[in-house]
């Protein structure tokens, strides 16, 4: 059979047909008017559930994942830029699911790299009716195929039916395909499709992936409104990630929540004077508490996410030697997660987030005078002030500086990074990208130094806890953990060696010029 090539997708704007053969053939009458016959295949009905991560990672990679079911458990499908695969399921899937929870097969292989550690879950569900219609020439030969697909969104909202007609030309019948293409394009009711069925269903359902980001500040905003807007966006991120943390869907829900908490605390420190002092005094301790209560679980998440990589670092030991350590980490995480869940379900947390959001909304919506300080002016003041702090601490770092001084520089760099992210809309974009790039290089080295010290100390602590447990660990486990601890010390020493050169570059004239170009 000749191979299919170069499909064309058209949108049909007529009345829904529900896939009934007479209605479908009537809609395709422009093709028969060109001398062709149409032979309709069977009507097929299936439920299609489109899948993605909460941060739209698959869509960002140009991929469309779906669970398609007519009867039985159905199939899992991935399709997109250079990726295609289908896996027939042996049992109904459970959502959300991380990559390791998906069934083995082509679909998981195609989805996993884009998913990373995130879980996929239903984004939109539709009822799709399809018919394949063969286009026959005067000799009865099939010269092209038309796929009629009529999809109706059923969840989270019900949409009007959306029809896509795909022309699938067959090699060797290019002239016929062009005639069919022209007949459909010039016929009343047909138009070139803008996107595929998934795109159309998202639009019809009012789902806009690009609107997930928090509202940005603008140059002319009053300064207090600008920073209240940024803080309100962080509060929204905290709130929308809570259920994902409680349900333990994937580790990034907690990570995103914690980043929003850190950004909130940093912004309160750097620009809290733009808000009423009693408000800051009331809520700042609550966000410190939230940061503290989320730390143990996140630290253990990081350990477990990196566990296989840690095992691969062993030279003298074997990966299996670390099994008792892994079991301890899992046990500790369960305890920490239960404590965290109690905190997130508490009245203290609810009052913190709801009260904070309400207070910020009042600031954003209140009337104000024309003479108030603008977001652009305040951003210039605070960025320059923070840059001076970072530069002063960076210049004081020498190879002999205590670890505490290096850690303090890391904290200041992180605060500057958060501030720059907030004020990005009022900055020169080219200069902003360059400064962030320069800052990230220093942060990476400072992070390696911090990780080396923290990890080496924590490994010693975990080894002592293993020894103090009811079941003493094998000697091989303690030796393997000791080897890892030594590796982290080496990493810390390398980072300390690299830090001097990185700070020299950061403090040089090139970065200085980029910082000066950030803001007027």
């Amino acid at each position: 059979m000749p191979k299919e090539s170069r499909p064309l997708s058209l949108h049909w704007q007529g009345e829904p047909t529900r896939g009934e053969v007479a209605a479908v053939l009537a809609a395709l009458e422009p093709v028969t008017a060109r001398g062709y016959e149409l032979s309709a295949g069977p009507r097929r009905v299936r439920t299609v559930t489109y899948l993605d991560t909460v941060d739209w990672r698959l869509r960002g990679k140009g991929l469309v994942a779906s669970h398609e079911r007519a009867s039985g458990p159905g199939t899992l499908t991935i399709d997109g830029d250079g990726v295609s695969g289908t896996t027939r399921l042996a049992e109904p899937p459970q959502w959300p699911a991380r990559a390791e929870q998906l069934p083995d097969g082509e679909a998981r292989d195609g989805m996993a790299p884009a998913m990373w550690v995130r879980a996929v879950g239903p984004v939109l569900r539709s009822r799709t009716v399809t018919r394949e219609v063969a286009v026959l020439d005067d000799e009865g030969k099939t010269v092209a195929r038309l796929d009629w697909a009529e999809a109706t969104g059923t969840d989270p909202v019900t949409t009007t039916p959306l029809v896509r007609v795909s022309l699938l030309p067959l090699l060797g019948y290019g002239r016929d395909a062009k005639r069919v293409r022209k007949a459909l394009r010039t016929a009343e009711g047909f138009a070139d499709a803008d996107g595929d069925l998934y795109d159309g269903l998202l639009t019809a359902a009012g789902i806009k992936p690009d609107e997930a980001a928090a509202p940005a500040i603008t140059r002319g905003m009053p300064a207090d409104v600008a920073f209240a807007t940024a803080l309100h966006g962080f509060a929204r991120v905290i709130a929308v990630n809570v259920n994902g943390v409680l349900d333990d869907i994937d580790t990034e829900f907690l990570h995103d929540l914690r980043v929003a908490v850190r950004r909130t605390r940093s912004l309160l420190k750097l620009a809290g004077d733009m808000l009423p002092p009693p408000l800051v005094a009331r809520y700042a301790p609550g966000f410190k508490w939230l940061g503290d209560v989320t730390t143990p679980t996140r630290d253990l998440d990081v350990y477990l996410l990196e566990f296989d990589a840690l095992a691969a670092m062993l030279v003298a030991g074997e990966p299996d030697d670390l099994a008792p350590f892994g079991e301890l980490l899992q046990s500790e995480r369960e305890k920490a997660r239960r404590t965290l869940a109690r905190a997130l379900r508490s009245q203290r947390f609810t009052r913190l987030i709801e009260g904070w959001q309400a207070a910020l909304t009042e600031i954003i919506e209140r009337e104000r005078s024309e003479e108030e300080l603008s977001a652009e002016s305040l951003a210039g003041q605070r960025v320059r002030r923070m840059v001076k702090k970072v530069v002063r601490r960076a210049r004081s770092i020498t190879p002999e500086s205590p670890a505490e001084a290096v850690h303090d520089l890391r904290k200041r760099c992180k605060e500057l990074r958060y501030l720059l992210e907030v004020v990005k809309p009022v900055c020169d974009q080219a200069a902003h990208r360059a400064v962030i790039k320069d800052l990230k290089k220093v942060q990476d080295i400072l992070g390696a130094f911090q990780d080396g010290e923290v990890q080496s100390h924590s490994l010693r602590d975990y080894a002592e806890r293993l020894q103090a447990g009811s079941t003493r660990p094998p000697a091989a486990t303690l030796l393997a953990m000791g080897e890892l601890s030594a590796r982290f010390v080496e990493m810390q020493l390398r980072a300390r060696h690299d830090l001097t050169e990185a700070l020299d570059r950061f403090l040089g004239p090139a970065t200085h010029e980029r910082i000066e170009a950030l803001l007027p």
Side-chain angles (χ1 to χ4, degrees):
M1 181 182 293
K3 294 183 178 179
E4 300 168 349
S5 64
R6 294 195 305 166
L8 168 73
S9 183
L10 294 163
H11 174 49
W12 189 67
Q13 301 164 315
E15 291 296 321
T17 67
R18 295 185 296 278
E20 298 298 336
V21 64
V24 170
L25 294 179
L28 296 174
E29 190 275 335
V31 177
T32 60
R34 296 299 300 264
Y36 294 97
E37 291 186 13
L38 301 177
S39 176
R43 177 178 180 268
R44 303 182 186 279
V45 182
R46 67 187 189 279
T47 297
V48 180
T49 301
Y50 294 96
L51 309 166
D52 211 330
T53 62
V54 71
D55 53 355
W56 300 92
R57 287 178 172 268
L58 298 183
R59 186 172 178 82
K61 296 290 186 181
L63 302 175
V64 177
S66 61
H67 169 226
E68 302 185 8
R69 181 178 178 275
S71 62
T75 59
L76 188 63
T77 301
I78 185 70
D79 190 44
D81 295 343
V83 177
S84 180
T86 298
T87 301
R88 186 169 295 280
L89 303 179
E91 56 186 24
Q94 299 293 319
W95 310 118
R98 297 184 296 275
E100 67 272 16
Q101 297 171 319
L102 297 174
D104 290 336
E106 294 178 344
R108 184 173 83 171
D109 292 345
M111 294 165 62
M115 288 172 59
W116 184 47
V117 299
R118 303 237 61 165
V120 293
V123 170
L124 183 146
R125 184 173 291 110
S126 72
R127 178 180 183 272
T128 302
V129 181
T130 60
R131 273 191 187 275
E132 184 182 271
V133 180
V135 181
L136 311 176
D137 63 11
D138 55 6
E139 296 180 2
K141 295 180 179 178
T142 300
V143 297
R145 290 189 178 87
L146 293 169
D147 275 354
W148 181 278
E150 187 170 318
T152 304
T154 59
D155 188 64
V157 297
T158 301
T159 69
T160 55
L162 184 69
V163 179
R164 288 286 188 272
V165 182
S166 298
L167 168 63
L168 305 175
L170 299 183
L171 291 178
Y173 298 99
R175 181 177 298 177
D176 295 290
K178 288 180 180 178
R179 294 181 69 194
V180 173
R181 182 191 305 255
K182 183 177 180 180
L184 292 176
R185 273 184 160 160
T186 58
E188 183 178 355
F190 286 94
D192 287 344
D194 182 16
D196 55 19
L197 267 178
Y198 182 33
D199 292 321
L201 287 168
L202 287 175
T203 300
I207 299 173
K208 300 178 180 179
D210 295 338
E211 290 190 352
I217 68 175
T218 60
R219 292 178 183 272
M221 268 186 181
D224 62 340
V225 173
F227 282 95
T229 297
L231 288 166
H232 198 284
F234 300 154
R236 175 180 173 274
V237 172
I238 294 170
V240 300
N241 280 285
V242 169
N243 287 339
V245 175
L246 292 174
D247 294 339
D248 203 18
I249 292 173
D250 65 49
T251 58
E252 290 305 287
F253 283 96
L254 178 57
H255 173 64
D256 290 349
L257 185 152
R258 279 178 52 78
V259 169
V261 171
R262 290 200 302 267
R263 286 171 170 164
T264 297
R265 296 183 64 193
S266 293
L267 203 55
L268 285 176
K269 179 179 179 181
L270 301 176
D273 58 322
M274 289 293 101
L275 304 178
L279 185 67
V280 176
R282 179 181 177 185
Y283 286 100
F287 285 104
K288 181 183 184 305
W289 163 77
L290 187 55
D292 291 342
V293 80
T294 55
T295 294
T297 305
R298 178 58 188 172
D299 286 348
L300 288 159
D301 280 347
V302 172
Y303 245 127
L304 290 166
L305 287 170
E306 297 177 350
F307 193 80
D308 289 343
L310 291 177
M313 290 169 57
L314 293 172
V315 176
E318 297 291 335
D320 288 346
D321 294 339
L322 292 177
F325 177 39
E327 293 170 2
L328 174 63
L329 292 176
Q330 289 285 6
S331 174
E332 291 294 313
R333 183 186 183 274
E334 284 304 308
K335 294 177 186 176
R337 203 181 78 79
R338 287 195 293 270
T339 300
L340 174 58
R342 286 194 296 271
L344 294 181
R345 291 190 175 104
S346 69
Q347 285 296 314
R348 180 177 184 180
F349 174 76
T350 300
R351 288 194 297 267
L352 172 68
I353 299 303
E354 291 182 354
W356 180 237
Q357 289 179 305
L360 293 172
T361 298
E362 288 184 9
I363 294 172
I364 294 168
E365 294 179 350
R366 76 173 176 83
E367 293 184 6
R368 58 201 68 249
S369 65
E370 295 286 338
E371 295 77 23
E372 295 192 46
L373 186 69
S374 70
E376 184 177 39
S377 298
L378 182 65
Q381 293 177 10
R382 299 307 159 91
V383 169
R384 291 189 180 94
R385 182 187 299 176
M386 195 63 223
V387 166
K388 287 181 180 178
K389 288 183 180 180
V390 170
V391 168
R392 184 166 60 249
R393 283 169 171 75
R395 284 177 175 159
S396 70
I397 298 295
T398 69
E400 291 75 34
S401 296
E404 291 77 11
V406 179
H407 296 328
D408 183 68
L409 174 61
R410 178 173 177 264
K411 292 177 183 177
R412 303 293 84 77
C413 286
K414 187 173 289 188
E415 289 174 354
L416 175 59
R417 176 84 170 268
Y418 290 154
L419 180 60
L420 288 172
E421 289 171 350
V422 169
V423 303
K424 178 181 177 181
V426 305
C427 294
D428 177 89
Q429 296 304 294
H432 189 275
R433 286 192 297 271
V435 171
I436 290 291
K437 184 178 180 180
D438 292 341
L439 186 58
K440 187 177 184 303
K441 291 177 182 177
V442 176
Q443 284 186 283
D444 287 345
I445 295 174
L446 291 169
F449 180 86
Q450 170 89 356
D451 289 346
E453 182 179 50
V454 171
Q455 298 277 40
S456 62
H457 287 152
S458 65
L459 278 164
R460 294 192 200 103
D461 178 63
Y462 281 123
E464 291 174 359
R465 291 163 69 179
L466 276 172
Q467 284 186 297
S470 57
T471 303
R472 294 181 63 84
T477 297
L478 299 177
L479 289 171
M481 295 175 70
E483 182 182 345
L484 289 179
S485 180
R487 290 295 186 93
F488 282 119
V489 171
E490 290 176 6
M491 182 176 76
Q492 184 183 16
L493 293 174
R494 284 197 304 271
R496 187 57 178 267
H497 177 269
D498 295 340
L499 183 58
T500 300
E501 183 180 349
L503 290 178
D504 286 343
R505 288 195 302 269
F506 181 73
L507 295 171
T511 302
H512 178 76
E513 290 174 4
R514 293 173 186 136
I515 291 173
E516 286 297 309
L518 270 174
L519 292 155

